[in-house]
Amino acid sequence: MTKNKFITTAAALLLGFLFSCDNTTADPINNSLNNPNNPGGSSGGGATILGPRILHKVTVNNVTNQEFFTTGNTLDKAVFLESGAPNSFVIGRVTYTSGKVTKVKYEQEVNGSVPANSLSYEYNLTYDANGKINYTTCTTMAGTMPSFNSEYTYTYDGSGKMTKIVEKKKSGTTYTHFSNYTITNAGDNISKVAVETGMTSATGVPDMSTVVASTSYNFDGYDTKINPYTTLPKAFFVTWSLLHPLNFSSLSANNVMSFTVVNPSPMPSIPGAYTYLYDSQNYPVSDQSQMQKYIYKAL
């Protein structure tokens, strides 16, 4: 798995909200909009969930594209089906210290094994005294050989919302590049993430005159319902978003309904839109076509 393929896959997964399989819950739950004559029932015969829940998986055309393995409200592992490759998955394994996510490792598996020379990404997170992520390192390996390392620092506003992430990338002990992620918040939702990339000095000082790429991820509209990804650890989705910024909308309180990726000229902008049907508890259970379904476990 090359880096470009890995990141392209991450984007494709979000574009379809594609997620991958533990058969503990059927779908959909409490779907009064899909089945108005049986409020609280489910077309898949699953039990009604009225209290706390956690996202289990999302299916598209009855195919599980992403799955979250959980123990209670703890996420142990996430499995993402790679686009166009039915036996190829991105696996995210989560480690905790004192109840906080402190490591997430992503690697590819094809037919149940890790291909030689494929890239893996291991994120290690630390927190400040208020419990917010303040520093992250990422070690990237090509098979068993080190590829590059990244360091991330975080800025928050007075209300505690994340407003900026600065990445400094290095080869060995020498810094080479930076990426600035500038985050715009609208209430409890992320409305825009602007990413600019350039070069640093050998000691890690960004040179803004060398900015070679600037991409904007505009999350143009949200509903007022509950984002199912908020039932899972936010720190996990911070690392998933660092693999591809289009995933930043998964950190929002509500569900994104439209977005635009504004690429550097002359590349075209990429628009997209989502629709939802909800249950009686204001959780999405499917898109309006009912091809894509969100499946939960009760807590």
Side-chain angles (χ1 to χ4, degrees):
M1 175 178 57
T2 65
K3 179 186 177 186
N4 287 339
K5 180 180 178 184
F6 190 101
I7 292 179
T8 299
T9 298
L13 289 168
L14 185 82
L15 288 172
F17 275 101
L18 306 180
F19 278 74
S20 162
C21 235
D22 174 9
N23 297 317
T24 57
T25 306
D27 64 26
I29 309 300
N30 299 333
N31 193 353
S32 59
L33 289 177
N34 283 353
N35 190 5
N37 295 319
N38 182 26
S42 70
S43 62
T48 297
I49 299 178
L50 297 176
R53 69 181 70 189
I54 194 166
L55 182 64
H56 174 42
K57 58 185 176 181
V58 173
T59 64
V60 179
N61 291 326
N62 296 317
V63 174
T64 302
N65 286 55
Q66 184 174 6
E67 178 181 16
F68 299 99
F69 291 82
T70 55
T71 303
N73 61 0
T74 300
L75 174 64
D76 302 310
K77 180 174 71 173
V79 179
F80 302 82
L81 176 65
E82 291 201 283
S83 177
N87 296 313
S88 182
F89 301 88
V90 176
I91 313 294
R93 293 180 173 85
V94 187
T95 301
Y96 297 82
T97 302
S98 300
K100 291 186 176 296
V101 174
T102 51
K103 182 169 74 173
V104 182
K105 183 175 182 179
Y106 297 97
E107 58 187 350
Q108 184 189 39
E109 287 188 5
V110 179
N111 295 319
S113 61
V114 178
N117 300 319
S118 66
L119 288 181
S120 65
Y121 298 80
E122 182 176 299
Y123 291 89
N124 289 275
L125 299 84
T126 61
Y127 298 81
D128 63 19
N130 296 316
K132 295 187 177 299
I133 301 171
N134 63 356
Y135 184 68
T136 301
T137 61
C138 178
T139 301
T140 305
M141 303 286 288
T144 59
M145 297 295 294
S147 179
F148 59 87
N149 297 322
S150 290
E151 300 172 352
Y152 300 86
T153 54
Y154 300 78
T155 301
Y156 298 87
D157 64 17
S159 66
K161 293 183 173 64
M162 189 182 297
T163 57
K164 190 171 185 178
I165 304 173
V166 176
E167 176 188 10
K168 294 182 182 180
K169 187 173 294 184
K170 59 184 179 180
S171 177
T173 59
T174 302
Y175 292 92
T176 58
H177 294 81
F178 74 90
S179 292
N180 288 335
Y181 301 76
T182 301
I183 302 167
T184 302
N185 295 281
D188 292 326
N189 296 319
I190 292 176
S191 60
K192 180 178 179 179
V193 178
V195 185
E196 53 185 3
T197 301
M199 301 185 69
T200 68
S201 69
T203 58
V205 178
D207 182 352
M208 299 306 297
S209 69
T210 66
V211 171
V212 295
S214 182
T215 304
S216 178
Y217 301 83
N218 300 329
F219 305 108
D220 305 310
Y222 285 86
D223 64 10
T224 59
K225 309 298 185 180
I226 301 171
N227 181 348
Y229 304 116
T230 61
T231 66
L232 293 157
K234 186 172 184 177
F236 171 83
F237 287 103
V238 171
T239 65
W240 188 232
S241 300
L242 291 173
L243 276 179
H244 197 287
L246 194 56
N247 292 297
F248 271 104
S249 66
S250 63
L251 298 171
S252 295
N254 304 122
N255 301 287
V256 64
M257 301 186 72
S258 60
F259 70 88
T260 308
V261 180
V262 181
N263 292 303
S265 181
M267 295 175 62
S269 296
I270 302 172
Y274 306 115
T275 63
Y276 305 91
L277 294 177
Y278 310 91
D279 67 14
S280 60
Q281 308 300 305
N282 291 323
Y283 287 90
V285 290
S286 73
D287 64 355
Q288 290 186 7
S289 71
Q290 300 187 46
M291 294 173 61
Q292 179 169 294
K293 297 184 179 180
Y294 302 81
I295 302 166
Y296 305 88
K297 288 184 191 178
L299 293 175

